[in-house]
Amino acid sequence: MSKTDSRFSGGRFGRRAFFNWIWTVLGLAALAELGWLGISFLASRRDRNRPGHTESVIKAGEVSAFAPGTVTAVPQGRFYLARLPDGGFLALSRTCTHLGCSVPWDEEKGAFVCPCHGSSFSLTGEVVTGPAPRPLDTYPVRIENGMVKVDCAKARRRDRYLAEQAARI
Amino acid sequence: MKASRQSITDLILHLHPRTVPYSTIRFRLSWGLGGMAVTLTGLLFLTGALLLLVYRPTLGEAYGSVRALGRDIPLGYWVRNIHHASANLLAVVTALHLLRTALTGAFGSGRRLNWIIGLCLLVLVLTANFTGYLLPWDQLAYWAVTVSMAALGYIPLCGEWLRGVLQGGTEIGQATLSNFYVLHVAVIPGSLLVLLMWHFWLVRKAGGLVSAPEGKVPLRRISVVPNLIVREAAVGLSLVAFVLFLAMFWNAPLLEQANPGMSPNPTKAPWYFQGLQELLLHLHPVFAAFVWPLLGGVALLLLPFVPNSALPGGVWFGSDSGRRLAAWAAAVGALLAVAAVLADDALRQPGVGMAADAMLARGVVPTVAVFLLAGAGYWLLVEAANRTRAEAVMAVLVAGFAILVVLTLVGVFFRGAEMRLVWPWLATGGSL
Ligand code: FES
């Protein structure tokens, strides 16, 4: 602080120092308010369009329509219905667990191959080649009166394929 | 008349010193890169304003309004092409400008703050480019958003929260487009203008460009108006002519409208992020999308604060032997990058999945390896070859840049369907 300062401020906590302090506090308060305003504005939209209110159970088709060892895309639910060789049903999310690209089923290779960074997944959704860190997510499958129904409200994460994840007749 | 002329000169002198050392106006010192960046920014603001008149930031209309540019508006596509070409060139020019600054030792004392502002400007330019890439809401845009939002989610602790905020919901949709629109047309250009002014002013405050010491001879100074101004105008105007010409032939891409059900094969990032995308192929996402960019950014930020890390100012590479060292460093970096990509690609054959210990094998181990390599190179240069610290730092920097360039080239030209390595003439699809 310069000479003039001490002359006019009259001590350690004079008029000038006091006003400087007020301006600083007001400035910081304004900054905090603006920041809070922006964040709450943005964050209010964070939980929008979370599914759940609408009817989320999708009828994929008759059990007999799916041969063992095949994969069928179900576009209205954004998943694949995989029928395992043992007859079990798995509903696999089509979203790559790496960075979210949409994974097509490659009939020739018998695998899901991601076009974005080349991860591939087996019929059961397990990672065959990286960089995907975990198997494809699944949706719960129920079989009622010979009809395959899939609840696409919430995808389930898993670390590996276990036989009990598949729905059987 | 005289007065108005004087006022123009005064205005120019607000951003320039009155005189500059004669040695700094040599084209080969700066390559006019800073001036080019300013020119391109100007073009971007102009064409951006025109495009704003046509573009509609809604999911339903965005794609159609960009399409309409080519159909209904005279020269509309040309304007879009100029915007696109300027934006891409700006990314190149800014990166080269950064490199120029480092290699002519222009981040030493008196210029530290400006180095940091420059880095912020580079980040702004890249985000401006990227957010603009998303606005047409075509397939390129949609999948670029998808991948980048998912990458955000990998940031430890606050990643998911950040993703939700930027995405404006649990799914990509109108809120996401609105966010990127506001960033692209308001937040980023605004910050860019403020930082640019600051950047110029700090150059001026540091006495113009960095200049070489000329021994005992007193610095020969020449006045800015007209000497420097004429040169700046020459570079700027030629560049404008070049961009306008380029924009007649280089069409900005527009794929089909966004389709959430189908990722194009291959789905590539815009070229300036393909180095990063190449990392994503090889490393655990947490490391590729977060740890490595963070470490790189921090290293660049701290660079000027390491004592004696700047080369002697105003001479490229510090000296002729520095030039040779830089060439070697670039070659070594490039070779290492090629070798690493090829080796890892051989490892990535089917059956060798990402094991449960991927964090270790594809995260910690490569990171430590890079640190050891850089450290060993630095140690060799300083201890064994008796180089100065500034030269060793430069070598590491140049090697790093060479690696980034190689990764980008591999991503742009040598990755085909499902991101397998192919020769460029066999590859399909691309995303310039
Ligand atoms: S998004 Fe599928 S491999 Fe990256």
Side-chain angles (χ1 to χ4, degrees):
Chain A
M1 287 280 144
S2 64
K3 243 189 269 165
T4 27
D5 262 356
S6 54
R7 191 144 33 107
F8 286 102
S9 63
R12 203 161 51 86
F13 205 74
R15 196 151 41 103
R16 179 165 298 217
F18 175 69
F19 275 112
N20 281 347
W21 181 79
I22 293 250
W23 299 143
T24 316
V25 169
L26 282 182
L28 287 179
L31 209 67
E33 263 177 65
L34 280 178
W36 176 72
L37 193 78
I39 301 255
S40 58
F41 206 96
L42 285 170
S44 71
R45 313 187 300 175
R46 217 164 68 81
D47 292 328
R48 276 213 311 227
N49 59 42
R50 194 178 282 284
H53 314 299
T54 47
E55 182 51 56
S56 59
V57 177
I58 285 183
K59 285 185 194 151
E62 302 270 345
V63 170
S64 54
F66 306 97
T70 62
V71 169
T72 317
V74 184
Q76 70 267 40
R78 303 186 192 174
F79 62 84
Y80 292 99
L81 196 63
R83 181 136 204 214
L84 310 181
D86 67 358
F89 284 96
L90 267 181
L92 299 170
S93 157
R94 70 178 177 195
T95 304
C96 183
T97 52
H98 182 225
L99 290 170
C101 284
S102 182
V103 190
W105 169 252
D106 187 326
E107 198 65 58
E108 273 163 47
K109 293 191 193 114
F112 299 93
V113 185
C114 182
C116 287
H117 314 97
S119 291
S120 59
F121 306 88
S122 68
L123 183 69
T124 56
E126 280 178 299
V127 181
V128 181
T129 45
R134 54 169 211 277
L136 290 173
D137 295 345
T138 60
Y139 294 104
V141 182
R142 268 179 299 146
I143 296 171
E144 287 169 6
N145 308 329
M147 194 53 130
V148 186
K149 294 182 178 173
V150 179
D151 180 3
C152 12
K154 193 157 174 27
R156 290 184 302 199
R157 294 182 168 210
R158 55 192 180 145
D159 291 327
R160 67 183 70 80
Y161 166 71
L162 299 170
E164 68 256 26
Q165 286 162 0
R168 279 161 242 273
I169 313 166
Chain B
M1 193 61 216
K2 198 95 197 289
S4 66
R5 188 122 163 237
Q6 182 59 41
S7 79
I8 293 176
T9 311
D10 285 349
L11 182 69
I12 291 171
L13 287 179
H14 252 89
L15 294 173
H16 289 84
R18 188 163 285 279
T19 61
V20 287
Y22 180 64
S23 62
T24 63
I25 64 169
R26 267 183 311 126
F27 184 68
R28 298 233 316 259
L29 171 67
S30 66
W31 294 102
L33 287 163
M36 288 189 201
V38 176
T39 311
L40 291 170
T41 311
L43 271 179
L44 283 164
F45 272 87
L46 280 178
T47 47
L50 288 179
L51 291 172
L52 260 181
L53 297 174
V54 179
Y55 178 73
R56 326 214 56 177
T58 63
L59 284 193
E61 290 179 295
Y63 184 73
S65 64
V66 176
R67 281 280 293 266
L69 271 176
R71 287 212 216 111
D72 314 338
I73 292 148
L75 297 183
Y77 222 82
W78 193 41
V79 174
R80 177 165 188 243
N81 284 352
I82 298 172
H83 199 72
H84 174 254
S86 311
N88 283 289
L89 286 179
L90 183 59
V92 177
V93 166
T94 316
L96 291 180
H97 185 51
L98 175 93
L99 203 62
R100 195 284 290 172
T101 311
L103 296 183
T104 54
F107 57 75
S109 79
R111 298 180 189 269
R112 290 199 182 106
L113 177 59
N114 220 9
W115 168 263
I116 291 174
I117 292 176
L119 286 176
C120 295
L121 282 168
L122 176 67
V123 171
L124 279 181
V125 165
L126 290 180
T127 36
N129 251 301
F130 186 65
T131 48
Y133 191 77
L134 311 177
L135 297 184
W137 215 248
D138 60 347
Q139 280 284 68
L140 282 182
Y142 184 84
W143 293 103
V145 191
T146 307
V147 168
S148 60
M149 288 296 110
L152 266 190
Y154 278 107
I155 296 177
L157 303 180
C158 63
E160 277 305 326
W161 182 84
L162 215 63
R163 176 186 182 172
V165 166
L166 210 59
Q167 195 165 285
T170 48
E171 265 165 50
I172 288 169
Q174 179 60 52
T176 324
L177 181 58
S178 301
N179 283 352
F180 286 121
Y181 176 68
V182 171
L183 280 177
H184 188 74
V185 306
V187 179
I188 296 174
S191 330
L192 199 73
L193 271 187
V194 173
L195 285 185
L196 267 184
M197 291 301 149
W198 201 358
H199 199 61
F200 299 156
W201 182 70
L202 282 173
V203 174
R204 190 203 147 147
K205 227 179 108 188
L209 296 192
V210 70
S211 69
E214 292 178 31
K216 295 212 166 56
V217 195
L219 267 184
R220 193 174 142 218
R221 300 187 73 92
I222 56 170
S223 58
V224 161
V225 185
N227 296 297
L228 180 59
I229 295 303
V230 165
R231 282 167 171 80
E232 285 178 345
V235 170
L237 292 176
S238 329
L239 182 65
V240 169
F242 173 68
V243 173
L244 297 197
F245 184 70
L246 193 65
M248 290 189 214
F249 306 104
W250 184 16
N251 266 331
L254 187 65
L255 297 192
E256 300 89 72
Q257 190 155 12
N259 172 5
M262 204 266 302
S263 311
N265 191 359
T267 298
K268 289 190 179 180
W271 67 266
Y272 37 86
F273 285 150
Q274 286 201 3
L276 215 58
Q277 167 157 341
E278 187 64 31
L279 286 185
L280 278 169
L281 293 178
H282 303 285
L283 297 179
H284 189 280
V286 172
F287 282 80
F290 176 67
V291 177
W292 282 34
L294 184 77
L295 288 177
V298 168
L300 282 179
L301 271 180
L302 293 184
L303 190 60
F305 299 97
V306 179
N308 299 325
S309 61
L311 293 166
V315 185
W316 273 88
F317 308 105
S319 62
D320 273 337
S321 79
R323 182 187 303 267
R324 281 191 294 278
L325 176 64
W328 275 107
V332 169
L335 278 180
L336 276 179
V338 172
V341 167
L342 289 178
D344 195 54
D345 214 66
L347 277 179
R348 245 162 44 93
Q349 293 312 318
V352 194
M354 276 247 167
D357 57 353
M359 267 290 213
L360 193 68
R362 297 200 162 265
V364 180
V365 172
T367 311
V368 171
V370 165
F371 265 102
L372 284 182
L373 264 178
Y378 178 86
W379 183 85
L380 270 180
L381 286 174
V382 173
E383 301 295 328
N386 261 326
R387 295 287 189 161
T388 63
R389 173 182 288 171
E391 281 178 319
V393 165
M394 171 194 74
V396 174
L397 200 70
V398 167
F401 191 75
I403 291 174
L404 186 63
V405 170
V406 165
L407 292 184
T408 308
L409 290 178
V410 169
V412 174
F413 295 112
F414 294 90
R415 290 277 173 197
E418 284 139 29
M419 289 293 155
R420 278 186 306 262
L421 280 177
V422 290
W423 293 109
W425 47 91
L426 298 178
T428 52
S431 64
L432 272 182

